[in-house]
Amino acid sequence: MSTYQDNFRKITPYVPGEQSKEKDIVKINANENPYPPSPKACKVLKDFNAESLRFYPNANATVLKEVLAKYYGVGVQNVFVGNGSDDVLALAFQSFFCSDKPIAYPDITYSFYPVWCDLFGIPYVNYPLDADFRINPEDYKAANGGVVLPNPNAPTSLGEGEQFVRRIMDYNPDSVVIIDEAYVDFGGYSSVPLTKEYGNLLVTGTFSKSRSLAGLRIGFAIGSAELISVLEAVKNSYNSYTVDSLAIAMGIASVEDEEYFRSTVNKVIATRKRITDELRTLGFEVLDSQTNFIMATHSRYSMKDMFEYLKTKKVFIRYFSLPRIEKYVRITIGTDKEMDRFIAEVRNFLEENK
């Protein structure tokens, strides 16, 4: 006998990093920026006229698009904005991955990709990273219904350069290729200039990482006018007002505060180098990160045990119980003070388990 529950969608959702409510913790498990947003963006929040919220925001977020277009050296018609890059990517999956052919992406990558494929009924194929956790562009020669690659990749932290992206594009002239650049500001190569050469290239970005606005939810995409127009049509068939008025105003202020943006990004990069060096001195293997996090392992110690130990010390990092990376942990770069506490507790773990 059937019931209404038989009509429920059966899906395994994306699982974000643990969001502990404990006090006095070092929260370096969700790739959040340890520094506050731009002071100019904070001033917008302080001065914001709450009464204006009774009106709908500009459905096209036109001014924010104009600011982003100027910043990236593209036309306004080449910019799309949405409610965080997850929203932008989900809309892109619905917009461009509509064939019977499987889309292609790596086996170790952002774990939301398979969730969207299952949700939207998109067939997909995974290509394994090599032994060094690198993407092999030759895998993406095969016929497909689209390609999506994070660059730099997550959770590996590794990035690829211009020639890599060009090879991917040259192998896939008949598919839309999405390059997810959530972490590119921390030292990666940006494919945005290539969108002027390749009409089938879409580059996505976010304000959540390098601009410290994860709680505001602003994402964007840059691509040909043709791709952007399709994204707009899908968005307006689903939710016309994806970016709220406050997000638009604060996003504009953030982009216009280049000095602050560069200073915080450089702080993260400097701390990343210091912590990488310190962990390597302690015998850890650390991948060469181009993100605001690092992937690390140790030949003599269980990273799952270290993850659990650090939790008892109120230091939260990320452990993935997944094939090939179950011996690694992912560590977001926090402030110098937070990372000093992390290193101190790591030393305690090593000492207690030697």
Side-chain angles (χ1 to χ4, degrees), residues 55-61 81-83 87 91 232 235-245 248:
F55 299 110
Y56 284 107
N58 181 288
N60 294 317
V81 295
N83 187 231
D87 176 52
L91 288 168
E232 294 287 359
K235 181 205 72 161
N236 289 329
S237 302
Y238 175 69
N239 178 10
S240 294
Y241 302 99
T242 55
V243 185
D244 65 74
S245 300
I248 291 171

Short mmCIF file of all heavy atoms in Angstrom, two decimals, residues 55-61 81-83 87 91 232 235-245 248:
data_model
loop_
_atom_site.label_atom_id
_atom_site.label_comp_id
_atom_site.label_asym_id
_atom_site.label_seq_id
_atom_site.Cartn_x
_atom_site.Cartn_y
_atom_site.Cartn_z
N PHE A 55 10.83 47.19 0.63
CA PHE A 55 10.86 47.14 -0.83
C PHE A 55 11.68 45.95 -1.30
O PHE A 55 12.66 45.56 -0.66
CB PHE A 55 11.47 48.43 -1.41
CG PHE A 55 10.72 49.67 -1.04
CD1 PHE A 55 11.27 50.60 -0.16
CD2 PHE A 55 9.47 49.94 -1.57
CE1 PHE A 55 10.61 51.75 0.18
CE2 PHE A 55 8.78 51.09 -1.23
CZ PHE A 55 9.34 52.00 -0.36
N TYR A 56 11.32 45.40 -2.46
CA TYR A 56 12.13 44.36 -3.06
C TYR A 56 13.48 44.94 -3.49
O TYR A 56 13.58 46.09 -3.87
CB TYR A 56 11.45 43.76 -4.29
CG TYR A 56 10.31 42.81 -3.96
CD1 TYR A 56 8.99 43.19 -4.17
CD2 TYR A 56 10.59 41.54 -3.48
CE1 TYR A 56 7.95 42.31 -3.88
CE2 TYR A 56 9.55 40.65 -3.19
CZ TYR A 56 8.24 41.05 -3.40
OH TYR A 56 7.22 40.18 -3.11
N PRO A 57 14.53 44.12 -3.44
CA PRO A 57 15.83 44.60 -3.96
C PRO A 57 15.78 44.68 -5.48
O PRO A 57 14.85 44.17 -6.12
CB PRO A 57 16.80 43.51 -3.50
CG PRO A 57 15.96 42.26 -3.46
CD PRO A 57 14.61 42.72 -2.98
N ASN A 58 16.78 45.31 -6.06
CA ASN A 58 16.91 45.31 -7.51
C ASN A 58 17.09 43.86 -7.96
O ASN A 58 18.04 43.19 -7.57
CB ASN A 58 18.11 46.15 -7.93
CG ASN A 58 18.28 46.22 -9.43
OD1 ASN A 58 18.67 45.23 -10.04
ND2 ASN A 58 18.01 47.37 -10.02
N ALA A 59 16.18 43.37 -8.79
CA ALA A 59 16.18 41.96 -9.17
C ALA A 59 17.46 41.55 -9.89
O ALA A 59 17.89 40.40 -9.81
CB ALA A 59 14.97 41.65 -10.04
N ASN A 60 18.09 42.48 -10.58
CA ASN A 60 19.30 42.17 -11.33
C ASN A 60 20.58 42.56 -10.60
O ASN A 60 21.68 42.35 -11.13
CB ASN A 60 19.27 42.85 -12.70
CG ASN A 60 18.16 42.30 -13.58
OD1 ASN A 60 17.96 41.10 -13.64
ND2 ASN A 60 17.43 43.18 -14.26
N ALA A 61 20.45 43.13 -9.38
CA ALA A 61 21.62 43.58 -8.63
C ALA A 61 22.56 44.37 -9.53
O ALA A 61 23.78 44.17 -9.54
CB ALA A 61 22.34 42.39 -8.01
N VAL A 81 25.11 37.41 -10.60
CA VAL A 81 25.27 37.34 -9.15
C VAL A 81 24.15 36.50 -8.55
O VAL A 81 23.04 36.44 -9.09
CB VAL A 81 25.30 38.74 -8.48
CG1 VAL A 81 26.52 39.52 -8.92
CG2 VAL A 81 24.03 39.51 -8.78
N GLY A 82 24.46 35.86 -7.42
CA GLY A 82 23.47 35.03 -6.76
C GLY A 82 23.72 34.95 -5.27
O GLY A 82 24.62 35.60 -4.73
N ASN A 83 22.92 34.10 -4.62
CA ASN A 83 22.93 33.98 -3.17
C ASN A 83 24.02 33.01 -2.71
O ASN A 83 23.76 31.89 -2.29
CB ASN A 83 21.55 33.52 -2.70
CG ASN A 83 21.40 33.52 -1.19
OD1 ASN A 83 20.99 32.54 -0.59
ND2 ASN A 83 21.74 34.64 -0.57
N ASP A 87 24.57 28.79 -4.67
CA ASP A 87 23.37 29.13 -5.44
C ASP A 87 23.72 29.30 -6.91
O ASP A 87 23.02 28.79 -7.80
CB ASP A 87 22.75 30.40 -4.87
CG ASP A 87 21.54 30.89 -5.66
OD1 ASP A 87 20.62 30.08 -5.89
OD2 ASP A 87 21.51 32.07 -6.04
N LEU A 91 22.40 26.83 -9.96
CA LEU A 91 21.71 27.37 -11.13
C LEU A 91 22.47 27.02 -12.41
O LEU A 91 21.86 26.73 -13.45
CB LEU A 91 21.54 28.88 -11.00
CG LEU A 91 20.52 29.36 -9.96
CD1 LEU A 91 20.66 30.86 -9.71
CD2 LEU A 91 19.10 29.04 -10.43
N GLU A 232 20.48 33.92 -16.22
CA GLU A 232 19.45 34.87 -15.80
C GLU A 232 18.06 34.31 -16.05
O GLU A 232 17.15 34.46 -15.21
CB GLU A 232 19.62 36.20 -16.55
CG GLU A 232 20.90 36.96 -16.23
CD GLU A 232 20.89 37.62 -14.86
OE1 GLU A 232 19.88 37.52 -14.13
OE2 GLU A 232 21.92 38.23 -14.51
N LYS A 235 17.38 31.65 -13.40
CA LYS A 235 17.17 32.31 -12.11
C LYS A 235 15.78 32.93 -12.05
O LYS A 235 15.05 32.76 -11.05
CB LYS A 235 18.23 33.39 -11.88
CG LYS A 235 18.10 34.11 -10.54
CD LYS A 235 18.70 35.51 -10.54
CE LYS A 235 17.85 36.47 -11.34
NZ LYS A 235 18.10 37.89 -11.04
N ASN A 236 15.41 33.63 -13.09
CA ASN A 236 14.12 34.33 -13.08
C ASN A 236 12.94 33.39 -13.26
O ASN A 236 11.78 33.81 -13.12
CB ASN A 236 14.11 35.40 -14.18
CG ASN A 236 15.02 36.57 -13.83
OD1 ASN A 236 15.20 36.91 -12.67
ND2 ASN A 236 15.62 37.18 -14.84
N SER A 237 13.21 32.12 -13.53
CA SER A 237 12.16 31.11 -13.56
C SER A 237 12.05 30.39 -12.22
O SER A 237 11.19 29.54 -12.03
CB SER A 237 12.46 30.07 -14.66
OG SER A 237 12.57 30.68 -15.92
N TYR A 238 12.94 30.76 -11.31
CA TYR A 238 13.03 30.06 -10.03
C TYR A 238 12.89 31.04 -8.86
O TYR A 238 12.07 30.85 -7.96
CB TYR A 238 14.37 29.33 -9.97
CG TYR A 238 14.68 28.66 -8.66
CD1 TYR A 238 13.97 27.55 -8.24
CD2 TYR A 238 15.71 29.13 -7.83
CE1 TYR A 238 14.26 26.92 -7.04
CE2 TYR A 238 16.00 28.52 -6.63
CZ TYR A 238 15.27 27.40 -6.24
OH TYR A 238 15.56 26.79 -5.05
N ASN A 239 13.70 32.10 -8.86
CA ASN A 239 13.67 33.10 -7.79
C ASN A 239 14.32 34.38 -8.31
O ASN A 239 15.54 34.45 -8.38
CB ASN A 239 14.39 32.58 -6.56
CG ASN A 239 14.43 33.59 -5.42
OD1 ASN A 239 13.76 34.62 -5.48
ND2 ASN A 239 15.22 33.31 -4.40
N SER A 240 13.52 35.35 -8.65
CA SER A 240 14.06 36.57 -9.27
C SER A 240 14.93 37.38 -8.33
O SER A 240 15.86 38.07 -8.76
CB SER A 240 12.91 37.46 -9.76
OG SER A 240 12.21 36.81 -10.81
N TYR A 241 14.64 37.32 -7.01
CA TYR A 241 15.33 38.18 -6.06
C TYR A 241 16.32 37.37 -5.22
O TYR A 241 16.12 37.14 -4.04
CB TYR A 241 14.32 38.88 -5.15
CG TYR A 241 13.31 39.70 -5.91
CD1 TYR A 241 12.03 39.19 -6.17
CD2 TYR A 241 13.62 40.98 -6.38
CE1 TYR A 241 11.09 39.95 -6.88
CE2 TYR A 241 12.69 41.73 -7.08
CZ TYR A 241 11.43 41.21 -7.33
OH TYR A 241 10.51 41.96 -8.03
N THR A 242 17.40 36.93 -5.85
CA THR A 242 18.33 36.05 -5.15
C THR A 242 19.30 36.79 -4.23
O THR A 242 19.84 36.20 -3.30
CB THR A 242 19.16 35.23 -6.16
OG1 THR A 242 19.80 36.13 -7.06
CG2 THR A 242 18.28 34.27 -6.94
N VAL A 243 19.52 38.09 -4.48
CA VAL A 243 20.46 38.85 -3.66
C VAL A 243 19.71 39.99 -2.98
O VAL A 243 19.06 40.80 -3.66
CB VAL A 243 21.62 39.42 -4.51
CG1 VAL A 243 22.65 40.10 -3.62
CG2 VAL A 243 22.28 38.31 -5.33
N ASP A 244 19.79 40.05 -1.66
CA ASP A 244 19.00 41.06 -0.93
C ASP A 244 19.67 42.43 -0.94
O ASP A 244 20.85 42.56 -1.31
CB ASP A 244 18.75 40.59 0.51
CG ASP A 244 20.02 40.47 1.32
OD1 ASP A 244 20.58 41.52 1.72
OD2 ASP A 244 20.46 39.33 1.58
N SER A 245 18.93 43.41 -0.53
CA SER A 245 19.40 44.80 -0.61
C SER A 245 20.65 45.06 0.21
O SER A 245 21.56 45.77 -0.23
CB SER A 245 18.28 45.75 -0.14
OG SER A 245 17.13 45.61 -0.94
N ILE A 248 23.70 43.48 -1.48
CA ILE A 248 24.13 44.28 -2.63
C ILE A 248 24.98 45.46 -2.16
O ILE A 248 26.08 45.71 -2.68
CB ILE A 248 22.92 44.77 -3.44
CG1 ILE A 248 22.23 43.58 -4.15
CG2 ILE A 248 23.33 45.82 -4.47
CD1 ILE A 248 20.91 43.94 -4.79
#
